[in-house]
Amino acid sequence: MTITQRDKAKIFHSLHAERAPLVLPNAWDSASARLAEDAGATAVATTSAGVAWSLGAADGNALDRRLAIELIARIAVAVDLPVTADIESGFAENPDGVGETIRLVLDAGAIGVNIEDGVGPSLRPVGEQVARIAAARAAADAVQIPLFINARTDPFLRPVHDDPAERLRDAIARAAAYAEAGADGIFVPGTTDVAVISELAANIERPLNVLARPGAPTVAELAEAGAARISLGAAVAQAAYAVARRGIREALEHGSYDTLADAVDFSDFNALFRN
């Protein structure tokens, strides 16, 4: 039976739950998405950084929207899983432009988006971000797709508050405003402190998404603190590129190839693309 885009969106909504959080591997191309599916992931997210790097741009709203949408479409076709796309701040200057981005993302086959409020080292004013989220919600509603809007807020990631308590208050206040505007989930990267996550989860009336890195608490510990969604972000892409850099340098500088020994088997990798 064919699963429709609307069905995938509904499934994706259902995957967000405390105590049994959605663990999202973040892909940057069709191959990494297929690896995630093969490993048993229940959904795939794109990483804005990994996508931008793979397409020759820096992360941080520098990538051309057309290139981003084309990549999202390739990933959505490559896997049978729900795909949620990181669209940075919306690839647009104003709410109308964000709405157009959402229409393009949906046409590409995705069923969720991340929209962030960070702009360089600062945060977008709450009213402006609310208008952008509302425009995204309206665009999805117009085509009757229950798009999962994951509103990212960056008080813990950007140097906007010296006081940790103020960072927490700002994140909670922004989360409330974004939820009112139509966000389905709230993403607060920049902290893996379980006490902080517990406070965020207790005060945010939407599924809480956190960003995990090496050294962070385990999935079980983050779930116990109240996280309903745990993302790996750019970490997988960074790790893959680290191997590439070491392997290249080893060959050029030492004439050896040991870094590349623990590679995915060629036949196994090729088999992922035989339908």
Side-chain angles (χ1 to χ4, degrees):
M1 183 178 69
T2 301
I3 300 177
T4 68
Q5 186 179 18
R6 189 172 290 105
D7 291 335
K8 287 184 179 181
K10 291 177 180 178
I11 290 169
F12 190 69
H13 276 263
S14 74
L15 294 174
H16 295 76
E18 292 182 23
R19 312 300 180 190
L22 170 62
V23 179
L24 271 178
N26 294 79
W28 62 98
D29 61 9
S30 297
S32 53
R34 291 297 289 266
L35 285 171
E37 184 175 48
D38 185 63
T42 54
V44 171
T46 66
T47 158
S48 65
V51 166
W53 299 332
S54 74
L55 295 174
D59 189 34
N61 300 299
L63 181 63
D64 177 77
R65 179 171 69 179
R66 177 185 58 81
L67 293 177
I69 296 298
E70 289 174 355
L71 191 282
I72 292 165
R74 286 197 291 274
I75 289 176
V77 168
V79 296
D80 293 327
L81 302 175
V83 172
T84 182
D86 188 331
I87 59 169
E88 303 191 40
S89 64
F91 298 125
E93 293 296 324
N94 54 49
D96 286 345
V98 173
E100 176 60 20
T101 296
I102 295 301
R103 286 186 283 274
L104 293 170
V105 166
L106 290 170
D107 286 346
I111 49 70
V113 292
N114 279 13
I115 304 177
E116 65 191 58
D117 60 7
V119 183
S122 303
L123 299 180
R124 196 180 297 277
V126 173
E128 290 184 14
Q129 188 66 5
V130 161
R132 296 166 79 84
I133 292 170
R137 178 83 281 149
D141 288 349
V143 293
Q144 299 183 326
I145 299 292
L147 179 77
F148 192 102
I149 298 175
N150 199 37
R152 175 176 140 179
T153 186
D154 284 1
F156 287 91
L157 205 59
R158 316 274 172 166
V160 294
H161 301 295
D162 294 327
D163 180 7
E166 184 59 27
R167 287 196 288 270
L168 182 62
R169 285 193 292 269
D170 193 11
I172 291 170
R174 285 174 175 270
Y178 300 165
E180 181 67 23
D184 300 288
I186 302 296
F187 184 19
V188 187
T191 181
T192 53
D193 184 313
V194 292
V196 173
I197 291 170
S198 294
E199 192 72 17
L200 289 166
N203 288 279
I204 292 176
E205 296 183 355
R206 290 291 187 276
L208 175 65
N209 184 188
V210 300
L211 181 66
R213 293 281 190 175
T218 65
V219 167
E221 290 167 334
L222 293 172
E224 182 66 25
R229 173 167 164 173
I230 299 167
S231 299
L232 301 183
V236 179
Q238 287 174 272
Y241 288 133
V243 172
R245 180 166 65 178
R246 288 197 301 272
I248 291 165
R249 287 180 174 177
E250 181 188 355
L252 293 175
E253 297 171 10
H254 304 288
S256 55
Y257 327 99
D258 293 341
T259 298
L260 306 178
D262 190 23
V264 177
D265 180 81
F266 186 93
S267 296
D268 289 347
F269 212 167
N270 234 19
L272 293 177
F273 296 91
R274 295 196 184 106
N275 294 321

